[in-house]
Amino acid sequence: MNMERTMMFKVEKEEKPDAKQILEQVYSSLKEKGYNPINQLVGYLLSGDPAYVTSYNNARNLIRKLERDELLEELLRSYLDENES
């Protein structure tokens, strides 16, 4: 390897996770474990504490792939799309 030459590395850009799909999977995991998914997700969104989300089915790791503001944007977008007159 010649250390005098500049080397170029290509880093694959990670695809942005789908917020809607993540919310649906986390909701389902919380429900399966007997939690109230709405209360748990609101707790997580308000506090940022991942302990509100079960680790069952990797739900806690999934929800942490997105920033909380991205999750709120998805929720608001979905709500407004469903309730347009």
Side-chain angles (χ1 to χ4, degrees):
M1 182 184 282
N2 187 347
M3 298 303 271
E4 294 177 20
R5 298 179 75 194
T6 300
M7 297 187 71
M8 190 155 112
F9 294 94
K10 228 179 194 181
V11 178
E12 296 289 323
K13 191 173 182 182
E14 195 172 307
E15 193 172 306
K16 188 175 177 181
D18 181 25
K20 182 176 182 177
Q21 186 178 23
I22 287 175
L23 281 169
E24 288 172 348
Q25 289 176 348
V26 170
Y27 181 93
S28 176
S29 294
L30 287 164
K31 195 168 190 169
E32 284 179 37
K33 288 302 283 182
Y35 294 106
N36 179 324
I38 300 299
N39 288 348
Q40 297 303 112
L41 287 167
V42 167
Y44 170 70
L45 290 169
L46 290 175
S47 71
D49 184 357
Y52 278 98
V53 178
T54 181
S55 58
Y56 177 70
N57 284 341
N58 203 32
R60 188 174 297 153
N61 289 331
L62 279 174
I63 199 100
R64 294 175 78 190
K65 287 184 177 187
L66 295 168
E67 296 294 326
R68 288 182 296 152
D69 62 328
E70 292 175 301
L71 292 168
L72 286 168
E73 284 177 27
E74 179 60 35
L75 291 168
L76 185 57
R77 186 177 299 110
S78 178
Y79 176 82
L80 291 175
D81 287 347
E82 283 184 18
N83 293 297
E84 279 186 347
S85 306

